[in-house]
Amino acid sequence: MAESDLLSRARATRVVVIGGGVAGLVAARECARVGFAVTLFESAEHLGGAVADAELDGLRVDAVADSYAPGAQALIDDLGLGDAVVPLATDDVWITGLPGAAPVPADALAGIPANPWADDVRRLIGWRGAWRAYLDKLRPPLTIGRQANLGALVGGRMGARVLDRLVAPLTRGVYGIEPSDVDADAAVPGLSTALTRLGSLSGAVGDLLVDAPDKARRSLRGGMTTLVDALAAELADYAVDVRVGVRVEKVGRGFDTRATQPPEGTRASRATQPPGGARPARATSPWTAEVAGEEPIEADAVVVATPRTEAHRLLAGAGVVLPRNTAPAPAPADVVTLLVDAPALDGAPRGGAAYPIAADAASVVHATAAWEWLAVDAGPGRHVLRVRLPAETAPDDDVIIARAVAEVAAAFAVPLTVDAVIAAHRARVEPAAPASVLGHADRAEAVRRAVAKAPGLTVVGAWVAGAGIARTVADAVAETDRMRHALLWDSGDENHPAPDVNP
């Protein structure tokens, strides 16, 4: 097909993206880069979704997501943000809730220790726990590698203390889920193979640590909303119509323009066939996006890039029958960001984060300890902390903030009261489950199969890709590329991806 035909087709193609989080912004960018006319709707008054910020006494801070994994680096570089990348000042994570607190052992994966006798392991599980974990090496090899459930695998092989004091605080603190909901091989790739080969869980972890990939989190100077701002700027350059504070009420089918085309194979149809065999623009039934107070917006394709609950509503309205959702998911949470005057925290007594053993306690991120640029901007003796609490329906902000302060004081073992709070921000979030949740890949594939029955409709976002900016970005690029391929080529031939043609 001639390049001019592709450009003409691209410019005649209209796409609606619903959701202005990272997934929606990336999807809109991928569509706009080939010349599609893109309209993006975001129901909130700002773009970014979970990548949001708050202003605390003039200080701009991340309110929810504050970092990204190496998998998102290509996008960061492509947006010209390479010079803004900053490493963690400390990757120490502490576990709290015992008579004392201690850092997560250095030689461990997902909290599973390579050596249960190591001092930093025994500090958390004690001699009794170390002896029980040692039995892992004596278990029969025939049972190895057959248990997908991380909680059952660790508890069965290394005992309750390793599970409850090392593994569970991390799965709850990072993702808000229990170890029993985690797929062991998804959480630690290669674990089952290493177990079968080496005969013990600790031996498998030790082997995998040798060539462990770089998973160090990174951030951007000024906060992760720098990424959102850069994406929004590119969309403006591509003349994407971005509408914030606008909720799409319904996605539905529009009209079928194929009904007005001459029958296939007739002289009239051959006379109207574009050069190179390209199909006529909008030869499929376009979609419509209905917005209150406006005429329905017609589109050749719609990308649903909202959180799970809203995506289910929109997809159901579009006639997509999704499989019954049985996935374990993190409960809604209140994320409280505090700016406090507390010189007692200057020494970062709990590293960059503290995760509790108790299931009902809060996780605390010490943002000014984790990110040096933020500590400089905050000033001497001032600290930013982010506290994740179970979502409350009744208490007002003052009650939730007081609880957050109490959780920090308990986790960090420092005297801290609400009098130290300079400013605070509360955000209600619907966390996405990680891709390591049991059955995630099968459920995501089932969702995609259901959506594929409605050509021109695509779904992206953390709820189907798995939590994390890197996974969300990679999934949005891949799914949007499939959609572009269908719109530009309409062949279904995956061996010929849509060309990256910029108008």
Side-chain angles (χ1 to χ4, degrees), residues 76-370:
I76 299 292
D77 293 339
D78 199 33
L79 291 168
L81 298 175
D83 290 342
V85 175
V86 291
L88 277 167
T90 174
D91 58 1
D92 284 350
V93 172
W94 284 57
I95 293 175
T96 62
L98 294 170
V104 172
D107 293 332
L109 292 174
I112 307 170
N115 177 12
W117 303 109
D119 290 344
D120 57 356
V121 176
R122 286 191 294 103
R123 187 175 174 184
L124 284 161
I125 66 174
W127 284 104
R128 178 181 173 186
W131 276 110
R132 173 61 185 87
Y134 176 72
L135 295 180
D136 166 47
K137 292 184 177 292
L138 307 180
R139 293 290 301 271
L142 290 177
T143 65
I144 293 172
R146 299 185 178 182
Q147 177 58 262
N149 182 311
L150 179 66
L153 178 65
V154 174
R157 298 201 64 85
M158 303 191 86
R161 289 199 175 191
V162 171
L163 176 62
D164 296 340
R165 298 185 182 187
L166 294 176
V167 176
L170 296 183
T171 64
R172 294 181 191 133
V174 177
Y175 294 114
I177 58 174
E178 295 296 322
S180 58
D181 293 328
V182 176
D183 185 309
D185 233 21
V188 184
L191 185 62
S192 292
T193 300
L195 271 169
T196 303
R197 179 163 49 87
L198 295 168
S200 72
L201 193 56
S202 59
V205 169
D207 184 68
L208 293 172
L209 281 169
V210 174
D211 296 314
D214 177 19
K215 293 185 178 180
R217 294 187 297 128
R218 306 160 191 176
S219 190
L220 298 172
R221 188 175 295 104
M224 285 306 299
T225 51
T226 302
L227 170 62
V228 174
D229 295 342
L231 286 167
E234 271 215 2
L235 296 190
D237 290 342
Y238 284 122
V240 173
D241 182 8
V242 176
R243 308 185 191 182
V244 297
V246 179
R247 184 174 189 255
V248 174
E249 301 294 337
K250 183 180 179 182
V251 173
R253 283 289 189 179
F255 56 88
D256 188 348
T257 55
R258 288 175 296 185
T260 65
Q261 300 293 328
E264 184 178 352
T266 66
R267 181 177 300 176
S269 70
R270 288 192 294 272
T272 58
Q273 183 74 10
R279 63 168 176 80
R282 282 188 287 281
T284 59
S285 301
W287 293 87
T288 62
E290 298 181 13
V291 177
E294 298 183 19
E295 288 294 317
I297 297 172
E298 297 172 4
D300 297 281
V302 173
V303 180
V304 177
T306 64
R308 180 181 57 188
T309 301
E310 181 69 356
H312 277 239
R313 182 188 72 81
L314 291 168
L315 292 171
V320 175
V321 180
L322 292 175
R324 183 171 176 267
N325 181 26
T326 58
D334 281 321
V335 178
V336 180
T337 306
L338 304 170
L339 174 63
V340 298
D341 184 0
L345 296 174
D346 287 351
R350 296 293 182 263
Y355 298 143
I357 289 175
D360 58 349
S363 61
V364 182
V365 172
H366 191 173
T368 38

Side-chain angles (χ1 to χ4, degrees), residues 36 45 295 456:
F36 293 170
E45 295 296 334
E295 288 294 317

Side-chain angles (χ1 to χ4, degrees), residues 442-458:
D442 291 339
R443 283 187 292 269
E445 180 59 29
V447 169
R448 292 265 158 76
R449 285 198 302 268
V451 174
K453 295 177 182 178
L457 194 61
T458 301

